[in-house]
Amino acid sequence: MMRGTRKIGHRGLALGTMLLLVTPLQAEWKLPDSFQVHGFASQAFILTTDNNFFGNSKDNGTFDFRELGINASWRILPRLQFAAQGVARWAGENDEGDPRLDYGLVDYTVFSDPKNTWGIRLGRVINPIGFYNDTRDVAFTRPSIFLPQSIYFDRTRDLALSADGGQIYGERRTDIGDFFLQFNIAKPRLGSREELALLGHDFLGGFEGDTSVFGRLFYEKDGGSIRLGFSSLWADFDFDSGLPPNKLSSGSIEFSPLIFSGQYNGEKLSLTSEVALRRFDYAGFGPNLPDKDFTGLSWYVQAAYRFLPKWEAVVRFDSLCVELGDCDGEEYAAQSGRSGHQRFAHRRFADDWMVGLRWDVTPSVMLRAEFHHIKGTAWITLEDNPDINALEEEWNMFSVLVSFRF
């Protein structure tokens, strides 16, 4: 008995010692209350007529559109916070799931009182563009499965979303409403997707963004019942050609859009509209891509109605004109393309009628369904439609999406 008791005592002593060692370790590694982690996952099904969108969506449809993301923030001091988000995204041939850092920044509040807040963010910062760019990958924050493509192009998503540099931000709370200002100086992110969208081909050579400026001023009244905004940016992209000068020279593209935003949010009804004037200036590429500057027009009007606590209906008209003065694309089609390739008028415009339905099954699970009738192919990706001759001017798209967040 004594021997057995002694054994149990040794084991109890060893167990007690382990608990004493583990307990402070657990306390040491406990996450602070100011550390937050959130994530999201979305899966869609897309079925189209005639043209592909985000995969081989014609005929039998595709499940090639999904999004996975996780973000974290940690306020280590009252004025100092770190935040980051990583995403893997699949969107047909345009995006094949490569993980990327959407944003990763340090945020320091320089000054704050009941009426003013001023601060600075450094790192990979979100570009302040319109209403929806800040959280465009989180399906719960979008007004529909796909954002209005005339302004929020998915084919150049990384370029629009964030850039490497810094941001100065400020808030001013007044008796007539609240004002929000953001100003970025940063270097845009570019890759083969952006080169294909801006140059029409993935050429031999390097495509990089120069230091650019972004700015947004918003006004909100009564906690967001009325929202008015203006966004703008000036971006410069340089192409270092690896081809002979008689084929394509090194050149540059300047992009300087102006975006005007307005929104009304009632108890059940929300009305939103945004208008963008999109100016491009191509220079230095040689005779196969002559110097040219032009301005395009993008706009949409949208209504969302919450007819039940968990149900919302949305309708939208979205219009894109690549070049003012040639919104029907006839002049573009009359020109000879590069190397004699045919040009199609419908590549210069897109008008999209959309109706959709949202069901918030739980606070963490959402279902959407929507139908689009589209005339024009200006925002269709060439990756999913390599045979431009097979594109049709009028086409339809049906999609459903399930999304989860935590």
Side-chain angles (χ1 to χ4, degrees), residues 49 54-55 82 98 108 137 148 154 164 192 211 215 262 317 348 359 376 380 382 384 386 394:
T49 61
F54 285 174
F82 292 92
D98 297 330
Y108 180 70
D137 279 333
D154 276 312
D164 298 328
S192 58
T211 300
F317 177 72
R348 304 297 276 182
W359 176 29
I380 284 226
L382 296 177
D384 291 318
E394 291 202 40

Side-chain angles (χ1 to χ4, degrees), residues 46 52-57 62-66 89-97 193 381 383-384:
I46 305 170
N52 287 320
F53 187 70
F54 285 174
N56 187 19
S57 57
T62 179
F63 289 94
D64 283 350
F65 179 45
R66 70 188 67 92
R89 184 173 181 271
W90 291 260
E93 297 297 325
N94 182 255
D95 207 334
E96 297 182 309
R193 289 186 294 269
T381 60
E383 294 96 327
D384 291 318

Side-chain angles (χ1 to χ4, degrees), residues 384-397:
D384 291 318
N385 299 274
D387 183 6
I388 191 173
N389 297 303
L391 290 176
E392 294 291 338
E393 180 175 323
E394 291 202 40
W395 54 293
N396 298 319
M397 176 168 64

Side-chain angles (χ1 to χ4, degrees), residues 149-299:
Q149 293 296 297
S150 69
I151 293 178
Y152 302 96
F153 290 92
D154 276 312
R155 64 180 184 179
T156 53
R157 173 250 183 214
D158 287 356
L159 167 63
L161 180 64
S162 59
D164 298 328
Q167 178 185 98
I168 297 172
Y169 65 90
E171 301 178 17
R172 172 68 174 172
R173 294 166 285 277
T174 73
D175 294 336
I176 63 171
D178 301 330
F179 296 85
F180 303 86
L181 174 67
Q182 293 167 294
F183 181 78
N184 290 18
I185 299 178
K187 185 175 182 179
R189 297 188 288 153
L190 294 177
S192 58
R193 289 186 294 269
E194 287 72 26
E195 182 177 341
L196 186 59
L198 293 170
L199 293 178
H201 189 78
D202 185 6
F203 293 103
L204 180 64
F207 196 44
E208 294 185 351
D210 282 345
T211 300
S212 305
V213 295
F214 306 77
R216 180 173 65 187
L217 177 63
F218 266 9
Y219 165 77
E220 292 188 1
K221 184 175 176 57
D222 298 332
S225 63
I226 299 293
R227 302 176 69 203
L228 301 173
F230 169 72
S231 312
S232 184
L233 64 99
W234 178 85
D236 191 12
F237 315 127
D238 292 329
F239 177 70
D240 185 13
S241 179
L243 298 171
N246 64 325
K247 292 187 176 180
L248 191 69
S249 300
S250 298
S252 65
I253 304 172
E254 288 186 6
F255 178 47
S256 51
L258 305 175
I259 304 171
F260 303 88
S261 308
Q263 188 174 71
Y264 163 78
N265 291 302
E267 182 180 354
K268 292 186 176 182
L269 177 66
S270 293
L271 301 174
T272 307
S273 182
E274 295 187 279
V275 179
L277 292 170
R278 303 162 50 254
R279 183 179 180 275
F280 289 90
D281 188 351
Y282 286 72
F285 291 99
N288 287 324
L289 189 59
D291 293 358
K292 186 175 184 180
D293 65 271
F294 58 92
T295 298
L297 175 65
S298 304
W299 62 279

Side-chain angles (χ1 to χ4, degrees), residues 333-354:
Q335 302 169 7
S336 60
R338 187 181 61 252
S339 302
H341 291 173
Q342 187 175 357
R343 293 185 172 190
F344 293 91
H346 57 72
R347 291 295 293 158
R348 304 297 276 182
F349 64 87
D351 291 334
D352 178 6
W353 283 98
M354 183 274 289

